[in-house]
Structures are given as structure tokens and as C-alpha cells.
Amino acid sequence: MSNEAKWYVAHTYSGYENKVKADIEKTIENRNMQDVIQEISVPMEEVVEIKDDKKKTVMRKVFPGYVIIKMIMTDESWYVVRNCRGVTGFVGPGSKPVPLTDEEIAAIGLEKKTVTVGFDVGDNIRVKYGPLEGFVGVITAIVMDKQKIKAKISMFGRDTDVELEFNQVEELS
């Protein structure tokens, strides 16, 4: 068994995700296992629903029926999660849980890598590639969690607000 915490996926009864999360957190606290089971996540996304011609923003589970857990896999941690009410098992062949790969973790967005950017609001930039390649503009905002910048780009004699990936732009000196 590894002594490094990895992300595992536990399958739950549909609708039990938050209850499972709360139950495991309570068990961790009672058994003082914070160092073994480190984080429990039920990924949510904001969705705009239209009902009766009214827009309503709601939070919806990204993976209904699953809870994602960062833990060091030991017999005790396996037992705690596996025997939690509402958990039907781990994702993996047979009874052997398989940790998520780094690519899967990045795709889900569980662990955000800290990114440093070499530009600030007000800096002049040039678009390196994409549909706006070659255009020049000024940064109006930096959105770290999306890893994007907002800029005003002069197109056809008008300033246009655009959103670009960090790696799509270079600073003009």
C-alpha cells in the first residue's frame, strides 16, 4: 500500500453524494484520520436552466452517483469509505480501487496548479495564435481560475472585448 495520497472515486447511490461526503468527514473526525483521508469532493457546476421562459442558475453535480476522495489507501481508509452508508464500492476492477491519473485529475479540475503570469492589467499584448492572431490589445482583467485574460483589442477601428488563454498572448515590450 502506498503512503502517498491519491484521488480515488467511490460509487454511491444516486442522490447520496453529499450525505456520503458528510458521513465520511464525520468518521474521519471521530477516528482522527485527517492525515489518511485528506479531501472529499462532490464536483459541482453552475448550469442555466430555462423553465417557463425564465432563466434560473442552479448547481448540478458533475458526476452524479460518485464521490471523489483524496486519501492514502490503507486497509482502514478503504474500510471507512467502503462501509459508509450509501457507498456501493470503489471504481476499479473487482475490489481493487484504481487511483485517478494526473491527466484525469487535471481534466476534472480537482487540483489547481498555481500559475504565475508575466503580465498585468494595462499591459499591451499581441495575440500569438487563434482567430485573432496578430491583433494587438490592452489587458483589462486577469482571470486566474480560468487561466484567461480579458483584453480590449482594436479591430476594424473599434475596441472589442475578448477573452484569451494565457498562452495565446505575448507581452509587447
mmCIF file of all heavy atoms in Angstrom, residues 114-148:
data_model
loop_
_atom_site.group_PDB
_atom_site.id
_atom_site.type_symbol
_atom_site.label_atom_id
_atom_site.label_comp_id
_atom_site.label_asym_id
_atom_site.label_seq_id
_atom_site.Cartn_x
_atom_site.Cartn_y
_atom_site.Cartn_z
ATOM 1 N N THR A 114 -0.802 26.286 -9.437
ATOM 2 C CA THR A 114 -0.641 27.729 -9.356
ATOM 3 C C THR A 114 0.153 28.202 -10.568
ATOM 4 O O THR A 114 1.199 27.646 -10.888
ATOM 5 C CB THR A 114 0.067 28.156 -8.057
ATOM 6 O OG1 THR A 114 1.267 27.413 -7.937
ATOM 7 C CG2 THR A 114 -0.814 27.913 -6.849
ATOM 8 N N VAL A 115 -0.391 29.183 -11.224
ATOM 9 C CA VAL A 115 0.219 29.697 -12.441
ATOM 10 C C VAL A 115 0.619 31.142 -12.200
ATOM 11 O O VAL A 115 -0.163 31.925 -11.668
ATOM 12 C CB VAL A 115 -0.784 29.624 -13.626
ATOM 13 C CG1 VAL A 115 -0.194 30.240 -14.864
ATOM 14 C CG2 VAL A 115 -1.194 28.195 -13.880
ATOM 15 N N THR A 116 1.839 31.473 -12.581
ATOM 16 C CA THR A 116 2.256 32.866 -12.488
ATOM 17 C C THR A 116 2.268 33.435 -13.894
ATOM 18 O O THR A 116 2.670 32.763 -14.844
ATOM 19 C CB THR A 116 3.659 32.992 -11.861
ATOM 20 O OG1 THR A 116 4.569 32.192 -12.614
ATOM 21 C CG2 THR A 116 3.655 32.542 -10.417
ATOM 22 N N VAL A 117 1.774 34.646 -14.005
ATOM 23 C CA VAL A 117 1.724 35.290 -15.316
ATOM 24 C C VAL A 117 2.675 36.474 -15.316
ATOM 25 O O VAL A 117 2.833 37.150 -14.313
ATOM 26 C CB VAL A 117 0.287 35.753 -15.671
ATOM 27 C CG1 VAL A 117 -0.571 34.572 -16.049
ATOM 28 C CG2 VAL A 117 -0.362 36.508 -14.555
ATOM 29 N N GLY A 118 3.280 36.686 -16.465
ATOM 30 C CA GLY A 118 4.273 37.744 -16.572
ATOM 31 C C GLY A 118 3.701 39.067 -17.035
ATOM 32 O O GLY A 118 4.448 39.930 -17.494
ATOM 33 N N PHE A 119 2.376 39.219 -16.952
ATOM 34 C CA PHE A 119 1.800 40.495 -17.356
ATOM 35 C C PHE A 119 0.758 40.948 -16.352
ATOM 36 O O PHE A 119 0.301 40.189 -15.514
ATOM 37 C CB PHE A 119 1.196 40.435 -18.768
ATOM 38 C CG PHE A 119 0.656 39.101 -19.191
ATOM 39 C CD1 PHE A 119 -0.567 38.650 -18.726
ATOM 40 C CD2 PHE A 119 1.360 38.299 -20.065
ATOM 41 C CE1 PHE A 119 -1.072 37.431 -19.123
ATOM 42 C CE2 PHE A 119 0.865 37.065 -20.465
ATOM 43 C CZ PHE A 119 -0.346 36.635 -19.997
ATOM 44 N N ASP A 120 0.412 42.241 -16.440
ATOM 45 C CA ASP A 120 -0.543 42.857 -15.521
ATOM 46 C C ASP A 120 -1.625 43.568 -16.313
ATOM 47 O O ASP A 120 -1.489 43.804 -17.512
ATOM 48 C CB ASP A 120 0.172 43.889 -14.628
ATOM 49 C CG ASP A 120 1.126 43.237 -13.640
ATOM 50 O OD1 ASP A 120 0.673 42.328 -12.918
ATOM 51 O OD2 ASP A 120 2.300 43.643 -13.587
ATOM 52 N N VAL A 121 -2.685 43.952 -15.600
ATOM 53 C CA VAL A 121 -3.739 44.757 -16.211
ATOM 54 C C VAL A 121 -3.114 46.055 -16.724
ATOM 55 O O VAL A 121 -2.307 46.679 -16.037
ATOM 56 C CB VAL A 121 -4.860 45.037 -15.182
ATOM 57 C CG1 VAL A 121 -5.893 46.002 -15.748
ATOM 58 C CG2 VAL A 121 -5.527 43.740 -14.758
ATOM 59 N N GLY A 122 -3.443 46.428 -17.953
ATOM 60 C CA GLY A 122 -2.900 47.646 -18.554
ATOM 61 C C GLY A 122 -1.743 47.388 -19.504
ATOM 62 O O GLY A 122 -1.348 48.273 -20.262
ATOM 63 N N ASP A 123 -1.179 46.163 -19.465
ATOM 64 C CA ASP A 123 -0.072 45.830 -20.366
ATOM 65 C C ASP A 123 -0.577 45.669 -21.805
ATOM 66 O O ASP A 123 -1.702 45.218 -22.035
ATOM 67 C CB ASP A 123 0.609 44.517 -19.944
ATOM 68 C CG ASP A 123 1.485 44.673 -18.713
ATOM 69 O OD1 ASP A 123 1.661 45.813 -18.252
ATOM 70 O OD2 ASP A 123 1.997 43.647 -18.229
ATOM 71 N N ASN A 124 0.293 46.032 -22.748
ATOM 72 C CA ASN A 124 -0.016 45.821 -24.162
ATOM 73 C C ASN A 124 0.394 44.406 -24.544
ATOM 74 O O ASN A 124 1.474 43.946 -24.179
ATOM 75 C CB ASN A 124 0.751 46.828 -25.034
ATOM 76 C CG ASN A 124 0.241 48.233 -24.829
ATOM 77 O OD1 ASN A 124 -0.955 48.462 -24.741
ATOM 78 N ND2 ASN A 124 1.155 49.188 -24.734
ATOM 79 N N ILE A 125 -0.498 43.724 -25.297
ATOM 80 C CA ILE A 125 -0.220 42.338 -25.686
ATOM 81 C C ILE A 125 -0.485 42.148 -27.179
ATOM 82 O O ILE A 125 -1.188 42.943 -27.807
ATOM 83 C CB ILE A 125 -1.083 41.334 -24.881
ATOM 84 C CG1 ILE A 125 -2.578 41.730 -24.858
ATOM 85 C CG2 ILE A 125 -0.579 41.207 -23.469
ATOM 86 C CD1 ILE A 125 -3.435 40.922 -25.750
ATOM 87 N N ARG A 126 0.095 41.055 -27.715
ATOM 88 C CA ARG A 126 -0.179 40.641 -29.090
ATOM 89 C C ARG A 126 -0.674 39.205 -29.031
ATOM 90 O O ARG A 126 -0.140 38.389 -28.288
ATOM 91 C CB ARG A 126 1.080 40.708 -29.957
ATOM 92 C CG ARG A 126 0.820 40.148 -31.376
ATOM 93 C CD ARG A 126 2.041 40.104 -32.273
ATOM 94 N NE ARG A 126 2.466 41.437 -32.638
ATOM 95 C CZ ARG A 126 3.666 41.963 -32.326
ATOM 96 N NH1 ARG A 126 4.546 41.253 -31.672
ATOM 97 N NH2 ARG A 126 3.968 43.185 -32.700
ATOM 98 N N VAL A 127 -1.681 38.878 -29.846
ATOM 99 C CA VAL A 127 -2.214 37.519 -29.898
ATOM 100 C C VAL A 127 -1.286 36.674 -30.762
ATOM 101 O O VAL A 127 -1.003 37.017 -31.909
ATOM 102 C CB VAL A 127 -3.659 37.503 -30.454
ATOM 103 C CG1 VAL A 127 -4.207 36.086 -30.465
ATOM 104 C CG2 VAL A 127 -4.562 38.415 -29.636
ATOM 105 N N LYS A 128 -0.786 35.553 -30.199
ATOM 106 C CA LYS A 128 0.186 34.701 -30.891
ATOM 107 C C LYS A 128 -0.470 33.731 -31.870
ATOM 108 O O LYS A 128 0.099 33.416 -32.895
ATOM 109 C CB LYS A 128 0.997 33.883 -29.880
ATOM 110 C CG LYS A 128 1.896 34.722 -28.995
ATOM 111 C CD LYS A 128 2.898 33.878 -28.235
ATOM 112 C CE LYS A 128 2.229 33.025 -27.170
ATOM 113 N NZ LYS A 128 3.194 32.352 -26.281
ATOM 114 N N TYR A 129 -1.660 33.216 -31.523
ATOM 115 C CA TYR A 129 -2.338 32.270 -32.421
ATOM 116 C C TYR A 129 -3.839 32.297 -32.169
ATOM 117 O O TYR A 129 -4.309 32.861 -31.192
ATOM 118 C CB TYR A 129 -1.770 30.852 -32.275
ATOM 119 C CG TYR A 129 -2.058 30.207 -30.938
ATOM 120 C CD1 TYR A 129 -3.231 29.494 -30.721
ATOM 121 C CD2 TYR A 129 -1.157 30.300 -29.894
ATOM 122 C CE1 TYR A 129 -3.499 28.913 -29.508
ATOM 123 C CE2 TYR A 129 -1.408 29.719 -28.668
ATOM 124 C CZ TYR A 129 -2.588 29.019 -28.484
ATOM 125 O OH TYR A 129 -2.846 28.443 -27.278
ATOM 126 N N GLY A 130 -4.567 31.655 -33.048
ATOM 127 C CA GLY A 130 -6.022 31.616 -32.937
ATOM 128 C C GLY A 130 -6.641 32.557 -33.947
ATOM 129 O O GLY A 130 -5.949 33.160 -34.784
ATOM 130 N N PRO A 131 -7.950 32.729 -33.907
ATOM 131 C CA PRO A 131 -8.646 33.563 -34.890
ATOM 132 C C PRO A 131 -8.211 35.032 -34.860
ATOM 133 O O PRO A 131 -8.340 35.734 -35.849
ATOM 134 C CB PRO A 131 -10.123 33.430 -34.535
ATOM 135 C CG PRO A 131 -10.208 32.593 -33.321
ATOM 136 C CD PRO A 131 -8.862 32.079 -32.979
ATOM 137 N N LEU A 132 -7.679 35.482 -33.717
ATOM 138 C CA LEU A 132 -7.274 36.887 -33.589
ATOM 139 C C LEU A 132 -5.759 37.061 -33.703
ATOM 140 O O LEU A 132 -5.218 38.087 -33.288
ATOM 141 C CB LEU A 132 -7.766 37.448 -32.249
ATOM 142 C CG LEU A 132 -9.276 37.378 -32.018
ATOM 143 C CD1 LEU A 132 -9.625 37.776 -30.606
ATOM 144 C CD2 LEU A 132 -10.006 38.257 -33.012
ATOM 145 N N GLU A 133 -5.085 36.082 -34.266
ATOM 146 C CA GLU A 133 -3.626 36.107 -34.387
ATOM 147 C C GLU A 133 -3.140 37.409 -35.021
ATOM 148 O O GLU A 133 -3.682 37.872 -36.018
ATOM 149 C CB GLU A 133 -3.156 34.929 -35.249
ATOM 150 C CG GLU A 133 -1.648 34.830 -35.363
ATOM 151 C CD GLU A 133 -1.199 33.611 -36.154
ATOM 152 O OE1 GLU A 133 -1.996 32.682 -36.335
ATOM 153 O OE2 GLU A 133 -0.042 33.616 -36.589
ATOM 154 N N GLY A 134 -2.140 38.017 -34.380
ATOM 155 C CA GLY A 134 -1.549 39.242 -34.909
ATOM 156 C C GLY A 134 -2.178 40.516 -34.364
ATOM 157 O O GLY A 134 -1.575 41.584 -34.437
ATOM 158 N N PHE A 135 -3.374 40.425 -33.810
ATOM 159 C CA PHE A 135 -4.020 41.618 -33.269
ATOM 160 C C PHE A 135 -3.324 42.058 -31.992
ATOM 161 O O PHE A 135 -2.762 41.248 -31.256
ATOM 162 C CB PHE A 135 -5.508 41.363 -32.976
ATOM 163 C CG PHE A 135 -6.378 41.425 -34.198
ATOM 164 C CD1 PHE A 135 -6.756 40.264 -34.859
ATOM 165 C CD2 PHE A 135 -6.828 42.650 -34.691
ATOM 166 C CE1 PHE A 135 -7.554 40.317 -35.982
ATOM 167 C CE2 PHE A 135 -7.632 42.707 -35.812
ATOM 168 C CZ PHE A 135 -7.992 41.544 -36.467
ATOM 169 N N VAL A 136 -3.377 43.361 -31.728
ATOM 170 C CA VAL A 136 -2.739 43.951 -30.560
ATOM 171 C C VAL A 136 -3.834 44.519 -29.667
ATOM 172 O O VAL A 136 -4.847 45.023 -30.157
ATOM 173 C CB VAL A 136 -1.755 45.069 -31.002
ATOM 174 C CG1 VAL A 136 -1.170 45.784 -29.806
ATOM 175 C CG2 VAL A 136 -0.652 44.467 -31.856
ATOM 176 N N GLY A 137 -3.614 44.438 -28.340
ATOM 177 C CA GLY A 137 -4.619 44.960 -27.425
ATOM 178 C C GLY A 137 -4.031 45.304 -26.074
ATOM 179 O O GLY A 137 -2.822 45.265 -25.872
ATOM 180 N N VAL A 138 -4.937 45.644 -25.142
ATOM 181 C CA VAL A 138 -4.556 46.016 -23.778
ATOM 182 C C VAL A 138 -5.319 45.117 -22.812
ATOM 183 O O VAL A 138 -6.536 44.944 -22.938
ATOM 184 C CB VAL A 138 -4.904 47.498 -23.495
ATOM 185 C CG1 VAL A 138 -4.568 47.871 -22.053
ATOM 186 C CG2 VAL A 138 -4.188 48.416 -24.459
ATOM 187 N N ILE A 139 -4.604 44.556 -21.827
ATOM 188 C CA ILE A 139 -5.233 43.677 -20.833
ATOM 189 C C ILE A 139 -6.138 44.514 -19.921
ATOM 190 O O ILE A 139 -5.712 45.520 -19.358
ATOM 191 C CB ILE A 139 -4.172 42.938 -19.996
ATOM 192 C CG1 ILE A 139 -3.357 42.017 -20.889
ATOM 193 C CG2 ILE A 139 -4.828 42.158 -18.855
ATOM 194 C CD1 ILE A 139 -2.214 41.312 -20.181
ATOM 195 N N THR A 140 -7.405 44.048 -19.779
ATOM 196 C CA THR A 140 -8.346 44.737 -18.892
ATOM 197 C C THR A 140 -8.585 43.947 -17.601
ATOM 198 O O THR A 140 -9.012 44.507 -16.600
ATOM 199 C CB THR A 140 -9.698 44.975 -19.598
ATOM 200 O OG1 THR A 140 -10.215 43.722 -20.040
ATOM 201 C CG2 THR A 140 -9.533 45.922 -20.781
ATOM 202 N N ALA A 141 -8.347 42.626 -17.648
ATOM 203 C CA ALA A 141 -8.541 41.794 -16.458
ATOM 204 C C ALA A 141 -7.769 40.487 -16.623
ATOM 205 O O ALA A 141 -7.547 40.030 -17.745
ATOM 206 C CB ALA A 141 -10.018 41.499 -16.237
ATOM 207 N N ILE A 142 -7.383 39.903 -15.487
ATOM 208 C CA ILE A 142 -6.735 38.600 -15.484
ATOM 209 C C ILE A 142 -7.602 37.679 -14.633
ATOM 210 O O ILE A 142 -7.864 37.968 -13.468
ATOM 211 C CB ILE A 142 -5.302 38.690 -14.911
ATOM 212 C CG1 ILE A 142 -4.445 39.590 -15.806
ATOM 213 C CG2 ILE A 142 -4.691 37.295 -14.795
ATOM 214 C CD1 ILE A 142 -3.047 39.860 -15.277
ATOM 215 N N VAL A 143 -8.082 36.572 -15.235
ATOM 216 C CA VAL A 143 -8.956 35.619 -14.547
ATOM 217 C C VAL A 143 -8.129 34.365 -14.244
ATOM 218 O O VAL A 143 -8.001 33.486 -15.091
ATOM 219 C CB VAL A 143 -10.197 35.280 -15.408
ATOM 220 C CG1 VAL A 143 -11.179 34.429 -14.615
ATOM 221 C CG2 VAL A 143 -10.863 36.541 -15.922
ATOM 222 N N MET A 144 -7.555 34.317 -13.031
ATOM 223 C CA MET A 144 -6.627 33.237 -12.681
ATOM 224 C C MET A 144 -7.288 31.862 -12.691
ATOM 225 O O MET A 144 -6.705 30.909 -13.184
ATOM 226 C CB MET A 144 -6.007 33.491 -11.303
ATOM 227 C CG MET A 144 -5.016 34.650 -11.275
ATOM 228 S SD MET A 144 -3.691 34.531 -12.476
ATOM 229 C CE MET A 144 -2.597 33.412 -11.654
ATOM 230 N N ASP A 145 -8.504 31.730 -12.129
ATOM 231 C CA ASP A 145 -9.101 30.400 -12.032
ATOM 232 C C ASP A 145 -9.436 29.797 -13.394
ATOM 233 O O ASP A 145 -9.459 28.585 -13.546
ATOM 234 C CB ASP A 145 -10.320 30.395 -11.102
ATOM 235 C CG ASP A 145 -11.398 31.388 -11.499
ATOM 236 O OD1 ASP A 145 -11.065 32.397 -12.144
ATOM 237 O OD2 ASP A 145 -12.569 31.162 -11.147
ATOM 238 N N LYS A 146 -9.677 30.624 -14.402
ATOM 239 C CA LYS A 146 -9.938 30.116 -15.759
ATOM 240 C C LYS A 146 -8.676 30.128 -16.608
ATOM 241 O O LYS A 146 -8.684 29.673 -17.738
ATOM 242 C CB LYS A 146 -10.989 30.977 -16.461
ATOM 243 C CG LYS A 146 -12.402 30.796 -15.963
ATOM 244 C CD LYS A 146 -13.333 31.603 -16.848
ATOM 245 C CE LYS A 146 -14.779 31.413 -16.483
ATOM 246 N NZ LYS A 146 -15.641 32.242 -17.322
ATOM 247 N N GLN A 147 -7.594 30.691 -16.077
ATOM 248 C CA GLN A 147 -6.330 30.863 -16.778
ATOM 249 C C GLN A 147 -6.535 31.609 -18.099
ATOM 250 O O GLN A 147 -6.091 31.185 -19.154
ATOM 251 C CB GLN A 147 -5.643 29.517 -17.002
ATOM 252 C CG GLN A 147 -5.262 28.866 -15.690
ATOM 253 C CD GLN A 147 -4.298 27.733 -15.834
ATOM 254 O OE1 GLN A 147 -3.865 27.397 -16.911
ATOM 255 N NE2 GLN A 147 -3.940 27.137 -14.716
ATOM 256 N N LYS A 148 -7.262 32.730 -17.992
ATOM 257 C CA LYS A 148 -7.536 33.554 -19.161
ATOM 258 C C LYS A 148 -7.308 35.017 -18.819
ATOM 259 O O LYS A 148 -7.291 35.394 -17.657
ATOM 260 C CB LYS A 148 -8.983 33.359 -19.628
ATOM 261 C CG LYS A 148 -9.256 31.968 -20.155
ATOM 262 C CD LYS A 148 -10.629 31.861 -20.741
ATOM 263 C CE LYS A 148 -10.808 30.472 -21.338
ATOM 264 N NZ LYS A 148 -11.952 30.386 -22.191
#
